[in-house]
Amino acid sequence: MSKKSADLSTETAGIGRRRFINTAALAGLTVGVAACNDKPAAAPAAAPAAPAPAAPAASHGGANVHLKPGELDTYYGLWSGGHTGDMRVLGLPSGREIHRIPCFVPDALVGWGVTNESKAVMGTKADGHLKYTVADTHHTHASYKDGNYDGRYAWINDKINSRVARIRLDYFVCDKITELPNVQGFHGIFPDKADPVDPAINYTTRVFCGGEFAIPMPNDGKGVNDPTKYHSMFTCVDAETMEVRWQVLIDGNCDLVATSYDGKLAATNQYNTENGIHYEDMMSAERDACLFFNIARIEEAVKAGKFKTVGSSKVPVVDGSHEANKDPKTALVAYVSVPKNPHGVNASPDGKYFICAGKLSPTATTIELAKVLEWFDGKLEKLDDAIVAEVEIGLGPLHTAFDGRGNAYTTLFLDSQVVKWNVEKAIAFHKGDKNAKYVVDRLDVHYQPGHINASQSETKAADGKFLAVGCKFSKDRFLPVGPLHPENEQLIDISGEKMVLLADHPVRGEPHDFIIFKRDIVKPKQVYSLDDFPLAIKDPKESGVTRNGKKVTVKLTSQAPAFSLREFTVKKGDEVTLILTNLDKIEDLTHGFAIPNYNVNFIVNPLETKSVTFTADKPGVFWCYCTHFCHALHLEMRTRMIVEA
Amino acid sequence: MSKKSADLSTETAGIGRRRFINTAALAGLTVGVAACNDKPAAAPAAAPAAPAPAAPAASHGGANVHLKPGELDTYYGLWSGGHTGDMRVLGLPSGREIHRIPCFVPDALVGWGVTNESKAVMGTKADGHLKYTVADTHHTHASYKDGNYDGRYAWINDKINSRVARIRLDYFVCDKITELPNVQGFHGIFPDKADPVDPAINYTTRVFCGGEFAIPMPNDGKGVNDPTKYHSMFTCVDAETMEVRWQVLIDGNCDLVATSYDGKLAATNQYNTENGIHYEDMMSAERDACLFFNIARIEEAVKAGKFKTVGSSKVPVVDGSHEANKDPKTALVAYVSVPKNPHGVNASPDGKYFICAGKLSPTATTIELAKVLEWFDGKLEKLDDAIVAEVEIGLGPLHTAFDGRGNAYTTLFLDSQVVKWNVEKAIAFHKGDKNAKYVVDRLDVHYQPGHINASQSETKAADGKFLAVGCKFSKDRFLPVGPLHPENEQLIDISGEKMVLLADHPVRGEPHDFIIFKRDIVKPKQVYSLDDFPLAIKDPKESGVTRNGKKVTVKLTSQAPAFSLREFTVKKGDEVTLILTNLDKIEDLTHGFAIPNYNVNFIVNPLETKSVTFTADKPGVFWCYCTHFCHALHLEMRTRMIVEA
């Protein structure tokens, strides 16, 4: 559609032309990947201009990932569940999946999407059905304090339906979901780490969301072929209320989001600054961009009323287009150029740099935040002078993690490798020291790695112990299970100079990003309080059936191995609301409640209360039974629902 | 309601009174389990008359479960997913979950419950919504040939909605689901292993299903308090057509199902032969039963028209009540007495015995099949003389596995142990040899174990290498993740005299039964054939939009990194059927297809075709994108759906 690439590339820092991958080469790469997939046991894709593929790592050693029975993990991992739509909780280094937290899609185990409480979080249509039952989560990040996680919240995105969900890290449950207006393909997400103005607020209060797809504003079916109508949005959500604070209208397609430790800057790397519709158009420009948002200025502009609104949304929208932000003194957004369809932007734990990987360029671009702030202050003549390094690291670089010792670890999708490189040496090389050997190590992974993260990598407490890599193809690494392969998450020891591959873990498609942190950061509660639930039935004596016309309320409690009501009777056609409180207060003593043929099942954890509402449309006897093993007499734990004809 | 216990206990074999657990003792046990849960690190429940709890096993050794990166497992495990409603596929000995097969509940990753093809398998209501979205799977078993698995099919039950699903083990997908008539709480399931009459049919042609809850026949809301109307059903489903062949009306509540290697007998252990509604009634009798079904006689009776039908179902139902089956010469069913609320019935790999665990009795009952057949032939005076051993093994015995060397391994729920005992020595002890030490070993597990199975245990090829135990409580064994704990599946080396605990694996609640078999038994296909799908679009040139009034068909194909249509246009109000064929034929090259805000996402594996139908009720531009990472330009892989206002 439009073409901004010329604008952007004129700002390019004075680096020599690199071996950018052009359309023709990519056609070759497609075949390269194909060939690689063709032979399960073959080495990673041999692509044009790629280094000769190394033999698979044969060594096995490094840190011990094999816990003895009963031994606890030392790290938590929070993983986006991809298009399963939930969040995964892992223990590391074992790689064991300890929990899945339902967020955007129904979950039959928990009763998520079945109970009234979960439906209220998820959102329903006028007819009472869930508004959405599919999702595509990509990124999960947690709340910060003093530059480290504080164990309060985590957030996760849904790309399909532009939603952001918040997870409480005390109970490990999703408590709020917000749908973003004027956004399609909501992709990157990152909480801020401090307030840009008030130093006392050294913790997360905002969550930033990158919109990937440019759509007509408003998206009402009119002017669908007018390229000037197409834009995407960068959105700020309040971390506490989960309401949308403001949006910035921008050029290009947001990929990931990163935030600075001082709270002043948020960034998103952009591909398709060309605003193309077709993939060859999306990679016609040699450089795209990393956009830096001046949070304080944006919020001043909103406060000053310098915004518009779009469609039926009341959210303030400020203009962050490239054209409107050329004057550094007034700019809300800075477009630093980055080659080519960059993928991933990651903040180094020393707080100094954001690193963008080139994807279609074999380079990583290191941008110094102090210099971006200088540009906003009018003290840096050329914005691209904020690029302090742009060095070749390998083919298809995507995402970068850090060890806290000055090294970066970037996934190379096409090379099927992780490359370890030293940031300061890369800067020295970029400055002209051609003896600076910035590449420290390379390790083959299996295969086509996407996201990568290290223990505590996105905090000031990056500890350089473990690195996890999400490989998009597993091919031959696990027993065959039909056409749908698992992905392969590999764990790597990065405590030494050389990386050591520790373990392969199969995982359902398809997790994207994840974070890894020390286990003492969260303080989970394992039993609810009755007072957490307004409908709680605190005494079994309150159990019973009450009727208001055709509306019937059934109250019951559970205490292993029995429900408080042995039976209850309703009439055909009644609208029944059933409330169940689990009065068992012992850790791990969860009950389930299923009603045969009524499509009802949910669990109640210790001291939890849940409710369901359904129409008693089928007469007969229905044995409601406990679905979650609770006791030697679990099988006998039932109550009889009689629906009178 | 009724009381059959007296009848049954008069048939008791001449064993001395054992320390059956009575109601009072169970009240104590409840506290015992509670106390155990109260202190995460405490030893297993100390219950009345229980042996002093052993210290947790400190040793670590035995077989190596820790595969090197890239090393393949040697066994598959098929696990029921519990109330997640799917089937899990594991690799063993690593314990890694390689796959989950959606069956009874929607799956947002695959698009199960979203695509027209999956909706046809799952079943829909008149309004097009899925009939059921919850399920409770308990047992999974695979098809047999010559006494071993043949890798064709597996089956899994849904207890909530009385459904049985079949899984094709070439593609690892569910292809048929059958809802059983006149059944509530469908619990145990087992395929036969041969035909009872035709020795040439030495493979699975029937699947037997045990109905747990007694309901009024028919269940129409009338006579709900007439105990004589309440019965449960034992059902035979055709393994190929998945249609219901016949049912047997019985007394009591079916728990598990087992089948003999010669095809002549199927069995289900029964609790609540008292037909009680409340749990204290359900355990008033000192002995319940294991029911043996004479398959040939039942099918003769059906052929001879000696059946009735129930309600609107046309399925032939024969009378298997205790009262109607007292004459061995004509009996279709034999009620062998077993103490007390027995749980689990398992066939020994030598083909000779079925073993029922006592649950509320500390015993395991060994029943000799040859003697049951003798009874049917009128050659055994007292049916309970088929009981060749009934020995004490520990508190709360539930399920039993075998090593092929004459030993049985039974879970002790209340003792939190696995007990290894020798079947022939138990028989000798039962016969009077009080020096026969049938208990070989005991191992603490963590905690409250339910199902158990060993590698190849339920086949003639039982190899005695690995034992897996599903522990219902994990308590302190994993990092805390809020109120909902994972279960704990433990792997045990049984290759030696002593059992060795190898590893703990957390698992989402709540898997029940599972099977473990050698990896060469299945031959998965990892790429579909275009001809598998009647709607397949074999050439990208067939792509396009065709209209028939308000019905619009959109045909497109995928080949990384592009869909065959760059855009397509429909009108608001159209009923759109979108058909997508993945023309990528490379293993592991799966694509996804999401339509923002239209609640559509599904995947297409190599050469797979799927379709979705939706109403284009929202005008605007909708970027349909690939949700399953496929290529370096995956992010750019999109097609633009324009819905004209």
Side-chain angles (χ1 to χ4, degrees):
Chain A
M1 294 149 89
S2 78
K3 41 188 161 43
K4 302 250 166 53
S5 55
D7 287 24
L8 290 169
S9 56
T10 57
E11 292 182 358
T12 304
I15 57 163
R17 270 294 296 272
R18 303 186 185 282
R19 283 175 291 140
F20 293 168
I21 299 167
N22 61 26
T23 312
L26 268 161
L29 283 176
T30 311
V31 176
V33 173
C36 173
N37 282 311
D38 232 351
K39 281 196 175 177
S59 69
H60 180 59
N64 186 15
V65 295
H66 302 311
L67 304 183
K68 290 176 189 158
E71 202 176 346
L72 294 183
D73 281 298
T74 46
Y75 292 85
Y76 283 94
L78 297 183
W79 249 252
S80 79
H83 39 133
T84 59
D86 55 4
M87 182 183 281
R88 304 167 65 219
V89 183
L90 269 63
L92 291 164
S94 75
R96 298 182 293 197
E97 185 181 279
I98 326 175
H99 195 35
R100 296 191 86 115
I101 303 170
C103 299
F104 299 112
V105 305
D107 182 81
L109 164 62
V110 169
W112 191 253
V114 173
T115 63
N116 296 328
E117 293 73 18
S118 61
K119 282 180 166 181
V121 174
M122 297 176 78
T124 51
K125 296 188 283 192
D127 66 1
H129 281 99
L130 293 171
K131 187 171 180 190
Y132 300 119
T133 58
V134 299
D136 181 22
T137 70
H138 280 236
H139 304 108
T140 181
H141 295 287
S143 57
Y144 285 81
K145 189 175 182 185
D146 298 331
N148 197 353
Y149 301 122
D150 65 1
R152 277 184 301 148
Y153 296 126
W155 289 272
I156 190 166
N157 75 309
D158 165 24
K159 182 170 174 180
I160 298 179
N161 300 307
S162 300
R163 295 179 290 175
V164 52
R166 183 173 71 185
I167 284 88
R168 288 177 57 160
L169 289 179
D170 51 356
Y171 290 135
F172 281 76
V173 294
C174 170
D175 75 334
K176 276 184 190 283
I177 291 178
T178 298
E179 188 168 344
L180 307 181
N182 309 316
V183 170
Q184 211 172 87
F186 158 35
H187 193 190
I189 182 173
F190 219 103
D192 70 359
K193 300 177 183 121
D195 189 84
V197 179
D198 183 352
I201 303 174
N202 197 20
Y203 54 86
T204 294
T205 59
R206 301 168 185 80
V207 180
F208 300 114
C209 308
E212 188 179 333
F213 305 155
I215 50 172
M217 298 282 173
N219 191 20
D220 54 7
K222 292 168 197 154
V224 298
N225 287 315
D226 176 1
T228 65
K229 275 194 75 179
Y230 280 67
H231 296 281
S232 58
M233 293 279 199
F234 186 82
T235 304
C236 175
V237 173
D238 189 283
E240 282 301 328
T241 67
M242 288 290 284
E243 297 196 347
V244 178
R245 283 194 184 184
W246 45 259
Q247 296 188 297
V248 185
L249 185 143
I250 51 170
D251 296 319
N253 297 28
C254 297
D255 180 44
L256 264 72
V257 174
T259 61
S260 67
Y261 283 89
D262 62 9
K264 290 180 179 162
L265 295 170
T268 176
N269 63 303
Q270 299 281 95
Y271 74 96
N272 193 24
T273 43
E274 305 93 323
N275 285 344
I277 301 181
H278 307 131
Y279 77 92
E280 65 273 26
D281 299 333
M282 294 178 185
M283 55 187 193
S284 63
E286 300 224 323
R287 295 185 77 89
D288 286 289
C290 182
L291 275 56
F292 286 81
F293 298 86
N294 187 319
I295 306 302
R297 280 196 195 167
I298 291 168
E299 300 199 344
E300 276 166 27
V302 170
K303 204 178 277 180
K306 294 178 187 166
F307 62 82
K308 56 177 186 171
T309 61
V310 175
S312 58
S313 160
K314 293 197 170 64
V315 173
V317 177
V318 299
D319 186 355
S321 67
H322 195 225
E323 195 59 34
N325 287 270
K326 294 209 159 170
D327 180 358
K329 295 264 175 65
T330 58
L332 309 178
V333 184
Y335 284 68
V336 178
S337 89
V338 176
K340 173 175 191 176
N341 291 38
H343 197 80
V345 54
N346 297 93
S348 65
D350 58 12
K352 289 194 209 166
Y353 309 112
F354 281 8
I355 290 173
C356 287
K359 191 166 81 175
L360 305 193
S361 158
T363 53
T365 301
T366 305
I367 301 165
E368 187 174 337
L369 304 190
K371 289 186 188 280
V372 174
L373 290 172
E374 279 176 30
W375 181 81
F376 276 117
D377 288 344
K379 294 174 186 161
L380 189 75
E381 196 184 342
K382 283 169 67 186
L383 176 54
D384 276 3
D385 286 346
I387 298 170
V388 292
E390 191 164 289
V391 295
E392 288 186 30
I393 54 173
L395 284 182
L398 295 187
H399 299 283
T400 299
F402 304 92
D403 62 9
R405 297 186 296 269
N407 299 306
Y409 301 76
T410 303
T411 45
L412 302 174
F413 181 81
L414 294 169
D415 282 343
S416 277
Q417 282 188 336
V418 172
V419 56
K420 173 181 178 180
W421 55 283
N422 185 279
V423 178
E424 293 303 334
K425 285 192 179 161
I427 293 170
F429 182 88
H430 184 82
K431 267 192 189 150
D433 176 4
K434 296 307 169 199
N435 292 321
K437 294 207 186 316
Y438 55 87
V439 170
V440 181
D441 191 24
R442 292 180 187 276
L443 181 74
D444 287 336
V445 293
H446 313 87
Y447 304 91
Q448 270 72 44
H451 277 282
I452 190 169
N453 220 335
S455 44
Q456 295 278 158
S457 170
E458 294 175 314
T459 71
K460 288 188 171 176
D463 67 1
K465 293 210 169 150
F466 293 104
L467 186 75
V469 182
C471 295
K472 296 298 184 182
F473 293 83
S474 66
K475 296 179 204 168
D476 57 338
R477 301 292 282 191
F478 305 109
L479 289 183
V481 287
L484 178 59
H485 291 232
E487 322 259 301
N488 184 13
E489 301 212 310
Q490 294 189 300
L491 193 71
I492 295 164
D493 180 353
I494 55 167
S495 59
E497 184 76 358
K498 303 287 282 181
M499 295 179 276
V500 180
L501 182 61
L502 297 173
D504 286 28
H505 295 288
V507 56
R508 279 205 101 200
E510 88 171 33
H512 294 261
D513 208 2
F514 49 87
I515 60 174
I516 300 164
F517 53 85
K518 290 188 176 167
R519 70 180 180 196
D520 57 1
I521 281 176
V522 290
K523 306 273 180 258
K525 299 183 204 169
Q526 293 184 277
V527 174
Y528 283 102
S529 161
L530 282 178
D531 296 328
D532 290 335
F533 306 96
L535 298 179
I537 301 153
K538 298 189 179 183
D539 187 324
K541 288 178 193 143
E542 296 169 36
S543 304
V545 179
T546 53
R547 173 177 293 277
N548 181 2
K550 287 190 87 64
K551 293 199 175 188
V552 174
T553 302
V554 180
K555 292 185 180 183
L556 71 168
T557 62
S558 56
Q559 279 172 293
F563 295 111
S564 56
L565 296 178
R566 302 183 148 197
E567 63 187 44
F568 58 92
T569 301
V570 298
K571 291 192 176 71
K572 190 183 169 191
D574 285 344
E575 183 194 285
V576 181
T577 295
L578 186 147
I579 306 165
L580 172 60
T581 297
N582 182 7
L583 291 178
D584 278 316
K585 49 179 171 261
I586 292 156
E587 192 179 303
D588 204 2
L589 195 39
T590 294
H591 294 288
F593 191 85
I595 311 179
N597 304 119
Y598 269 93
N599 206 30
V600 168
N601 186 44
F602 61 94
I603 58 167
V604 275
N605 293 301
L607 296 186
E608 190 175 28
T609 298
K610 284 183 184 161
S611 68
V612 289
T613 299
F614 59 91
T615 301
D617 54 3
K618 287 172 283 287
V621 166
F622 300 89
W623 289 100
C624 309
Y625 70 97
C626 177
T627 43
H628 210 88
F629 212 102
C630 58
H631 187 279
L633 286 168
H634 162 71
L635 264 194
E636 288 82 349
M637 183 168 172
R638 303 192 223 149
T639 181
R640 190 167 59 136
M641 177 171 85
I642 299 166
V643 181
E644 291 178 341
Chain B
M1 294 151 92
S2 78
K3 40 190 162 43
K4 303 250 166 53
S5 55
D7 285 24
L8 290 170
S9 56
T10 56
E11 290 183 359
T12 303
I15 56 163
R17 269 295 292 275
R18 303 189 184 281
R19 284 175 293 139
F20 294 169
I21 300 168
N22 60 27
T23 312
L26 267 161
L29 284 176
T30 310
V31 176
V33 174
C36 173
N37 283 311
D38 232 351
K39 283 194 176 179
S59 68
H60 180 59
N64 186 16
V65 295
H66 303 311
L67 304 184
K68 290 178 190 156
E71 201 176 347
L72 294 183
D73 281 298
T74 47
Y75 292 86
Y76 283 94
L78 297 183
W79 249 253
S80 78
H83 38 131
T84 59
D86 54 4
M87 181 184 282
R88 304 167 64 221
V89 183
L90 269 62
L92 291 163
S94 74
R96 298 181 294 197
E97 186 181 279
I98 325 175
H99 196 33
R100 296 190 85 115
I101 304 170
C103 299
F104 298 112
V105 305
D107 182 80
L109 163 63
V110 169
W112 191 253
V114 174
T115 61
N116 297 328
E117 293 73 19
S118 60
K119 282 180 165 181
V121 174
M122 296 176 80
T124 52
K125 296 189 282 191
D127 67 2
H129 282 98
L130 292 171
K131 187 172 180 190
Y132 300 119
T133 59
V134 300
D136 181 22
T137 69
H138 281 235
H139 304 107
T140 182
H141 295 286
S143 57
Y144 285 81
K145 188 174 183 186
D146 297 330
N148 198 352
Y149 301 123
D150 64 1
R152 278 183 301 147
Y153 296 127
W155 290 271
I156 190 165
N157 74 309
D158 165 24
K159 182 169 173 179
I160 298 180
N161 300 307
S162 300
R163 294 179 289 175
V164 53
R166 183 173 71 186
I167 284 88
R168 287 178 58 160
L169 289 178
D170 50 357
Y171 290 133
F172 281 77
V173 294
C174 171
D175 75 334
K176 277 185 188 282
I177 292 179
T178 298
E179 188 169 344
L180 307 182
N182 309 316
V183 170
Q184 210 172 88
F186 158 35
H187 193 191
I189 182 173
F190 218 103
D192 69 0
K193 300 176 182 119
D195 189 83
V197 180
D198 182 353
I201 303 174
N202 197 19
Y203 53 88
T204 294
T205 58
R206 302 166 184 83
V207 180
F208 299 114
C209 309
E212 187 179 335
F213 305 155
I215 50 171
M217 299 282 174
N219 191 19
D220 54 6
K222 293 169 196 153
V224 296
N225 288 314
D226 175 3
T228 64
K229 275 194 75 180
Y230 280 66
H231 296 281
S232 58
M233 291 280 198
F234 185 82
T235 303
C236 175
V237 172
D238 189 282
E240 282 301 328
T241 67
M242 288 292 284
E243 296 193 350
V244 178
R245 284 193 184 185
W246 45 258
Q247 296 188 297
V248 185
L249 184 142
I250 50 170
D251 296 321
N253 298 27
C254 297
D255 180 43
L256 263 72
V257 174
T259 61
S260 66
Y261 282 89
D262 61 9
K264 291 181 177 160
L265 294 170
T268 175
N269 62 302
Q270 298 282 95
Y271 73 97
N272 194 24
T273 42
E274 305 93 325
N275 285 345
I277 301 182
H278 307 131
Y279 75 92
E280 65 271 27
D281 299 333
M282 294 178 185
M283 56 188 192
S284 63
E286 301 223 323
R287 295 185 77 89
D288 286 291
C290 182
L291 275 57
F292 286 82
F293 298 86
N294 188 317
I295 306 302
R297 280 196 194 167
I298 291 167
E299 301 199 343
E300 277 166 26
V302 169
K303 203 178 280 181
K306 294 178 185 164
F307 62 83
K308 56 177 186 171
T309 61
V310 174
S312 59
S313 160
K314 293 199 168 65
V315 173
V317 177
V318 299
D319 187 353
S321 67
H322 195 225
E323 195 58 37
N325 287 270
K326 294 207 159 173
D327 179 358
K329 296 264 174 65
T330 58
L332 309 178
V333 185
Y335 284 68
V336 178
S337 89
V338 176
K340 172 174 195 175
N341 292 39
H343 198 80
V345 55
N346 297 93
S348 64
D350 59 11
K352 288 195 209 166
Y353 308 113
F354 281 8
I355 290 173
C356 287
K359 190 164 82 172
L360 305 191
S361 157
T363 53
T365 301
T366 303
I367 302 164
E368 188 173 336
L369 304 190
K371 290 184 189 283
V372 174
L373 290 173
E374 279 177 30
W375 181 82
F376 276 117
D377 288 344
K379 294 175 186 161
L380 189 75
E381 195 183 343
K382 284 168 66 185
L383 175 55
D384 276 3
D385 287 345
I387 297 169
V388 293
E390 190 163 289
V391 294
E392 288 187 30
I393 53 173
L395 283 182
L398 295 187
H399 299 283
T400 299
F402 303 92
D403 62 9
R405 297 186 295 271
N407 300 304
Y409 300 76
T410 302
T411 45
L412 302 174
F413 181 81
L414 294 169
D415 283 343
S416 276
Q417 283 187 336
V418 173
V419 55
K420 173 180 177 180
W421 56 283
N422 185 280
V423 177
E424 293 302 334
K425 284 193 179 163
I427 292 169
F429 182 90
H430 184 82
K431 267 192 189 149
D433 176 3
K434 296 307 168 197
N435 292 321
K437 293 203 188 318
Y438 54 87
V439 170
V440 180
D441 191 23
R442 291 180 189 276
L443 180 75
D444 288 336
V445 292
H446 312 89
Y447 304 88
Q448 270 73 44
H451 276 281
I452 191 170
N453 220 335
S455 43
Q456 295 277 161
S457 170
E458 293 176 315
T459 72
K460 287 188 172 176
D463 66 2
K465 292 209 170 153
F466 293 105
L467 187 74
V469 183
C471 295
K472 296 297 184 182
F473 294 84
S474 66
K475 297 179 204 168
D476 57 337
R477 300 292 281 192
F478 305 108
L479 289 182
V481 287
L484 179 58
H485 290 233
E487 323 258 302
N488 184 14
E489 301 212 311
Q490 294 189 301
L491 194 71
I492 295 164
D493 180 353
I494 54 167
S495 59
E497 183 79 355
K498 304 285 282 182
M499 294 178 276
V500 180
L501 182 61
L502 296 173
D504 286 27
H505 294 288
V507 57
R508 280 205 100 200
E510 84 172 35
H512 294 262
D513 207 2
F514 48 87
I515 60 174
I516 300 165
F517 53 84
K518 289 187 178 169
R519 69 181 180 195
D520 58 1
I521 281 176
V522 289
K523 307 272 179 256
K525 299 183 206 170
Q526 293 185 277
V527 174
Y528 283 101
S529 161
L530 283 177
D531 296 328
D532 291 335
F533 306 96
L535 298 179
I537 301 153
K538 298 189 179 183
D539 187 324
K541 289 179 194 143
E542 296 169 35
S543 305
V545 179
T546 53
R547 173 177 292 278
N548 181 2
K550 288 191 86 62
K551 293 198 175 186
V552 174
T553 302
V554 180
K555 292 185 180 182
L556 71 169
T557 61
S558 55
Q559 279 172 293
F563 295 110
S564 56
L565 296 178
R566 301 182 150 198
E567 63 187 43
F568 59 93
T569 301
V570 299
K571 292 194 175 70
K572 189 182 168 190
D574 284 344
E575 183 193 286
V576 181
T577 295
L578 186 148
I579 307 166
L580 172 59
T581 296
N582 182 7
L583 290 179
D584 279 315
K585 48 178 170 259
I586 291 156
E587 193 179 302
D588 203 1
L589 195 39
T590 294
H591 294 288
F593 191 85
I595 311 179
N597 305 119
Y598 269 93
N599 205 31
V600 168
N601 186 46
F602 61 94
I603 59 168
V604 273
N605 293 301
L607 296 187
E608 189 175 28
T609 298
K610 284 183 183 163
S611 67
V612 288
T613 298
F614 59 91
T615 301
D617 54 3
K618 288 172 283 288
V621 167
F622 300 89
W623 288 101
C624 309
Y625 70 97
C626 177
T627 44
H628 210 88
F629 213 102
C630 58
H631 188 279
L633 286 168
H634 161 70
L635 265 193
E636 289 81 350
M637 184 168 171
R638 303 191 221 151
T639 181
R640 191 167 58 136
M641 177 171 85
I642 299 166
V643 181
E644 291 179 340

